[in-house]
Amino acid sequence: MKCYPVPRENLVLSIDNLKDDIPEEYLSHKECYENVIRKGSVLYDIFSELSKDRKHKAHQAPSNAYRISDGIMQNVNPFLLHFALFVPAITNQATPEQQAEFLKHGFGIIGTYAQTELGHGTFLRGLETTATLDLETDEFVLNSPTLTSYKWWPGGLGHTANHCVVMAQLYVKGKCHGPHLFFVQIRDIETHEPLPGLKLGEIGAKMGFNTADNGFLGFHNFRIPRNNMLMKNSQVLKDGTYVESKNEKLTYGSMVFVRVYLLSDMAYMLARAATISVRYSAVRHQSHIKPDEPEVQILDFVIQQHKLFISIATSHAFKICGLWLWQTYSKVMEDIGKGSMDRLPELHALSCCLKTTSTRDAGWLIEQCRLACGGHGYLMSSNLPSLYTTATAAITYEGESTVLLLQTARYLIKSWKRAMEGESLPATVSFLSEYFNKRYNKWENTPKGIVDGLKLVVAGVTKMCAESIQKHVSRGQQYEEAWNSSSVQLIKASEAYSRALLCEVFWFEVDKVSSTLSNNLAVVLKQLAELYITYWALEKRGDLLVYTTISKDDLDKLQERYEELLALIRPNAVGLVDSFDIRDEILCSTLGAYDGRVYERMMEHALKSPLNAETVNQSFHKYMKPVILKHKI
Ligand SMILES: CCCCC/C=C\C/C=C\C/C=C\C/C=C\C/C=C\C=C\C(=O)SCCNC(=O)CCNC(=O)[C@H](O)C(C)(C)COP(=O)(O)OP(=O)(O)OC[C@H]1O[C@@H](n2cnc3c(N)ncnc32)[C@H](O)[C@@H]1OP(=O)(O)O
Ligand SMILES: Cc1cc2nc3c(=O)[nH]c(=O)nc-3n(C[C@H](O)[C@H](O)[C@H](O)COP(=O)(O)OP(=O)(O)OC[C@H]3O[C@@H](n4cnc5c(N)ncnc54)[C@H](O)[C@@H]3O)c2cc1C
C-alpha cells in the first residue's frame, strides 16, 4: 500500500468539530447518522486538502485514515465504502481513460460498491440486476426486475453516496455475459435528490455498524452511457461486440483487495481490545491468591493471562501476516498487469481463508476480552461491545466465512490432485507433495516442529476429503453432490490450512527479523510468537495426535512451556499493549485509558446519561405513581 503524507493524529484530534458532547449511545438512530456525517465530512475535507498537495490521484485516503476515522467516528464511517471499494473498483477495473473521467471530481463525488442484493450475496452468478445494451442510444438500461434484485446492504447507499459501482448481469443482443461492473450516478450532486428511475433508502437498524448507512437501491429503466461499464478487463464496443476478459474472475478483484486488507484491520481491532482489557486487568484488584495478602491485580491470575495474552500475540500475528499477504497481493497484481494470471487462484485461496480466520478470531477474542473485564466490560463506555459488533460484521461481509473457506478447500483439493500427479506446487502448498511422498519428520517440541505438525494435519485432512469425495462419487453421486456431502471435512481442511499459515508466517517472519532487533525486543516478540504457536498446538492436540507422531508426553511438555510463556510475558503485558500506541481519544474506553483512572471515568461517563439530568423522571408521575397509590395498602 503506497504511503502518502498522513494527517498527524494530534492535528485531527485537536479539531473541536470532531468531538462529541453526548456519547453516541444516547443519540437516536437518525441523530447518530447525522453526527457521523458531520464528523465524516470534516475528515473528508481534510483528506481532500491533503490530496491536493500530493502529485498522485486526488481520491485516495492517507494510509492512517482508517485508524483515525475509526477512533473519531467511534463507529463506522459512512464514507468508508468510497475509499474501501468504490475507488479501488474503479482504479482496478476501469481503463485509464475511464478512471480520468470517473474520478475527475476527486473528492467531489462520494461512492459505494453495490453488489449484494436482497436475494443474493454469495452467489454472484445469481445476481438479478440487469444492464441491457441499447444499440440505438449507445446506452445501458439498468433494471431491478424483482424485489429480490434490489441492491441491499451497500454501505453509504441509503443517504450518503451520490455515485456507486454496480454489479449487474450484462445483456448484449439478448445474450447474458454474466456479472459486470458499471459506474452509476444515483443522486443529484447539488440537491442530493435520488435521480429519476431509482428507489433509494436505508435498510434499518442492525446489530452494529449502525452509522454505515447500509442501503437499498432499485432501478426502473435507468439509463447510463455505454462507456460507464468498467472496461479494463472486458469491453462492449459501440456496435455491440462483446470482448471477453482473459479471466472472468478479474471482475471480483475489489473483493480480494478488501479481504487482504482485513487481516491488518483485525490486527488493529484486536490491539484495541487487548489494550483495554490488559490495562483494566492491571488496575482492577479482586480476590486473593495468598489468603494472608491483599487483593491482587486480576492480571496476576494465570487464567486471566490465558484469556488475554493470546489477543496480544494474535494482533501481532495478523499484523505480520497481513503485511506478508499484502506483499503477495501486490506481486500478483503486478503479474496480472503484465498479463500473467498464474498466481491468482493461490491469492484467492489465501485471502479467503486468512480473511475468514482473522475475522472469526477477532470476534471471539474481543468477546473473551470483554468477558475478562467482568460487568464493566458490558458497559458501552468500555467500547468492547462496539468493537465486537464492528469486528464480527467482517465475518459476513466481503464474503461469508463458510463460503470463503469452501473456496480455499477447492484450491486444496486441486493442489492435492496435482501432488498425486507429481506436479510441482507453489510454496504455500508444497507440503502436500511432501506428505504424498511420505517425506515428513518425527514430532519435535519446537516452534518449527509444531508448524510442520500443523501442516501434516492439513495434508491428512485434505487427503481424507479427497477420499471422501471419491467414495461418494463411486457410490453414484455427481462430483458437486459428493463435494456437498464432504463439506464438513472440507471446511476443517481450510481452517487447518489457515492456522498452519498463520503460525508459519508469524514464527518465520519474527525469526527472520529478530537479528535486526534489540535483544529485549527480539526476546519478547519471539515469546509472543511461541505463545501463539504453542496455544494453537494445544488447542489442536486432537488433530496432532491423529496425524503426527506427537506423544502424550510431548503434549504435557507443551502445556508446561505454555504456562512458562504466560509467566515470562506477564511483566511486559502492560508495556506490550502500550506499544500498540493507541491514544485515549481513539481507544474511546473508560476501562482502557492510559492514566488508569477507570472508576472516575466510569462515573463521569455515567453522569452524561440523559436520565441523570434529573433526580425524578417524568414517567414516575405519569405512569408509576398512579399504580403505586392505587395498590398502596
Ligand atoms: C474514511 C477513511 C477510510 C479509509 C479506508 C481505506 C482503506 C480501507 C480498506 C478496507 C477497509 C476494511 C474493511 C471495511 C471495508 C468494507 C466493509 C464494508 C462493506 C462490505 C462490502 C461487501 O461485502 S462487498 C460484497 C462482498 N461479496 C462477496 O464477497 C461475495 C462472495 N461470493 C463470491 O466471491 C463468489 O460468488 C464465490 C466465489 C463464492 C462463488 O462464485 P462462483 O462463480 O460460483 O465461483 P466458483 O465457486 O464456481 O469458482 C469459479 C472459479 O472462480 C474462482 N474465483 C472465485 N472468486 C474469485 C476471486 N474473487 N478471485 C479469483 N478467483 C476467484 C474460483 O477459485 C474458481 O476457480 P477454479 O474453477 O479454478 O477453482
Ligand atoms: C455490515 C455489512 C456490510 C455490508 N456491506 C456491503 C457493501 O458495502 N456492499 C455489498 O455489496 N454488500 C455488502 N454486504 C453484504 C455482504 O457482502 C453479504 O451479506 C455476504 O456476501 C453474504 O451474503 P448473504 O448475506 O446473501 O448470505 P448467504 O450467501 O445467503 O448466506 C447465508 C448462509 O448460507 C450459506 N451458504 C451460502 N452459499 C453457500 C454455499 N455455496 N455452500 C455452503 N453454504 C452456503 C452461508 O454459509 C450462510 O450460512 C454487507 C454485509 C454486512 C453484514
Side-chain angles (χ1 to χ4, degrees), residues 66 70 258 260-272 318 390 394 397:
Y66 197 50
D70 243 15
V258 174
V260 168
Y261 186 95
L262 280 169
L263 244 77
S264 312
D265 192 28
M266 292 303 123
Y268 179 47
M269 289 275 182
L270 263 180
R272 283 193 282 176
F318 291 168
T390 303
Y397 69 57

Side-chain angles (χ1 to χ4, degrees), residues 76 81 85 112-124 151-157 165 167 203 206 208-210 212 214-215 255 259 355 389-390 392-404 406-407 483-484 487 491:
V76 179
L81 264 291
L85 273 161
T112 185
Y113 182 83
Q115 172 176 293
T116 302
E117 296 172 355
L118 197 51
H120 286 89
T122 289
F123 188 56
L124 300 186
K151 293 302 175 186
W152 188 277
W153 274 111
L157 183 61
V165 166
M167 185 78 87
I203 64 172
K206 302 168 289 271
F209 247 69
N210 274 303
N214 302 94
M255 292 179 278
R259 290 169 190 161
K355 179 263 183 187
T389 54
T390 303
T392 48
I395 301 172
T396 304
Y397 69 57
E398 220 52 71
E400 194 279 329
S401 61
T402 304
V403 163
L404 294 189
L406 288 171
Q407 286 293 299
W483 176 269
N484 187 37
S487 51
I491 290 292

Side-chain angles (χ1 to χ4, degrees), residues 85-105:
L85 273 161
F86 175 74
V87 169
I90 292 170
T91 49
N92 294 330
Q93 310 277 339
T95 63
E97 298 74 22
Q98 287 182 313
Q99 292 179 45
E101 174 57 24
F102 298 157
L103 297 175
K104 66 188 175 190
H105 297 301

Side-chain angles (χ1 to χ4, degrees), residues 436-579:
F436 178 73
N437 297 313
K438 296 186 177 17
R439 286 196 305 267
Y440 37 80
N441 310 320
K442 188 167 171 9
W443 179 266
E444 273 179 30
N445 252 8
T446 64
K448 182 183 182 313
I450 293 171
V451 168
D452 289 344
L454 292 172
K455 286 179 175 180
L456 279 179
V457 171
V458 182
V461 178
T462 303
K463 176 174 181 285
M464 184 176 67
C465 292
E467 289 167 351
S468 167
I469 293 168
Q470 189 48 49
K471 176 189 65 182
H472 289 295
V473 168
S474 64
R475 289 176 182 168
Q477 287 190 0
Q478 287 182 21
Y479 185 84
E480 290 73 12
E481 289 176 294
W483 176 269
N484 187 37
S485 302
S486 308
S487 51
V488 173
Q489 300 167 74
L490 287 163
I491 290 292
K492 186 178 169 65
S494 285
E495 288 169 341
Y497 179 54
S498 196
R499 190 64 63 203
L501 274 172
L502 284 162
C503 289
E504 178 174 45
V505 172
F506 188 14
W507 177 255
F508 288 107
E509 291 296 320
V510 166
D511 196 39
K512 196 164 63 176
V513 300
S514 54
S515 57
T516 64
L517 303 174
S518 71
N519 185 49
N520 293 341
L521 184 55
V523 165
V524 171
L525 265 180
K526 279 194 158 185
Q527 285 171 355
L528 286 174
E530 188 182 352
L531 177 98
Y532 184 82
I533 292 170
T534 311
Y535 179 97
W536 284 107
L538 293 167
E539 286 293 305
K540 298 297 176 187
R541 71 186 75 199
D543 291 334
L544 292 173
L545 284 166
V546 171
Y547 293 103
T548 74
T549 58
I550 194 171
S551 66
K552 166 84 170 57
D553 183 48
D554 292 322
L555 284 168
D556 291 346
K557 289 193 176 81
L558 278 180
Q559 184 64 39
E560 203 177 320
R561 177 60 182 159
Y562 176 73
E563 288 159 10
E564 271 174 25
L565 285 163
L566 290 177
L568 288 168
I569 290 168
R570 168 65 186 90
N572 292 314
V574 175
L576 280 166
V577 297
D578 288 349
S579 70

Side-chain angles (χ1 to χ4, degrees), residues 74-76 206-210 269 362-363 366-367 380 383-395 397:
Q74 294 185 35
N75 211 320
V76 179
K206 302 168 289 271
M207 173 177 160
F209 247 69
N210 274 303
M269 289 275 182
I366 291 170
E367 176 65 351
M380 290 303 285
N383 202 21
L384 288 165
S386 293
L387 279 173
Y388 176 77
T389 54
T390 303
T392 48
I395 301 172
Y397 69 57

